Amino acid sequence: MTLTKSKWMFASIWLVGAGLVFLILVVQSLVGRYGAQSEAAWAWYLPTVMPTLSLIIGVLASDFRTAATATPTAAAATANDARVLPVSARGLLWLGVGLSVFYLLLVAVTILAQPFLQGVSPIELMHRSNLWLGPLQGLTAGVLAAFFRSG
């Protein structure tokens, strides 16, 4: 796998995963699931996914800008992206994929499991989930940053 394909794989995982949860929140907000606390639900969701999505989109935008530049340095960077990943980067790639999928599943479970929990409001569950999502988000973003840096 090449560095470019790896970057787009991360983008796909995050855009699809965060996009599905986004759609669920839109529908739940429209049908009044959160009542007067819809803003609190969005205030939980956005910082849960936006930092990592911003990192990934920033890397892709930087690659696009570099590729659009017609300098020898840009040509070397484009050639570097087309090479096969070294073994050390492959470990970070698969660790990043695993952490990303696990993290996004936990974000979705936080929203989807609430109706099955007795005595816990949706917003309360979202606040509780920060106990495990916060550290996991930090680890996931750290691995992704290390992977992007290694390439």
Side-chain angles (χ1 to χ4, degrees):
M1 179 169 301
T2 66
L3 182 59
T4 300
K5 285 183 183 178
S6 301
K7 290 175 183 179
W8 282 101
M9 182 171 65
F10 280 125
S12 299
I13 290 168
W14 276 87
L15 289 170
V16 168
L20 289 173
V21 175
F22 178 88
L23 290 175
I24 292 168
L25 275 175
V26 166
V27 169
Q28 288 181 337
S29 295
L30 290 174
V31 299
R33 173 81 178 110
Y34 303 108
Q37 294 183 311
S38 286
E39 289 178 15
W42 287 97
W44 166 82
Y45 174 71
L46 292 174
T48 301
V49 296
M50 289 308 294
T52 308
L53 275 172
S54 297
L55 168 68
I56 294 167
I57 298 301
V59 167
L60 294 175
S62 175
D63 288 353
F64 178 76
R65 187 176 51 116
T66 301
T69 309
T71 65
T73 306
T78 303
N80 188 37
D81 278 359
R83 69 177 165 74
V84 175
L85 289 175
V87 173
S88 60
R90 281 185 240 156
L92 287 171
L93 167 69
W94 295 114
L95 180 59
V97 166
L99 285 171
S100 293
V101 169
F102 183 61
Y103 178 79
L104 290 165
L105 283 173
L106 286 178
V107 171
V109 164
T110 300
I111 293 171
L112 298 174
Q114 193 283 325
F116 303 103
L117 302 174
Q118 299 298 320
V120 179
S121 74
I123 303 302
E124 182 183 346
L125 181 59
M126 289 173 175
H127 288 301
R128 269 192 215 170
S129 73
N130 288 328
L131 295 172
W132 54 86
L133 289 177
L136 188 56
Q137 181 185 36
L139 289 172
T140 304
V143 169
L144 294 183
F147 172 77
F148 293 143
R149 178 83 172 112
S150 73

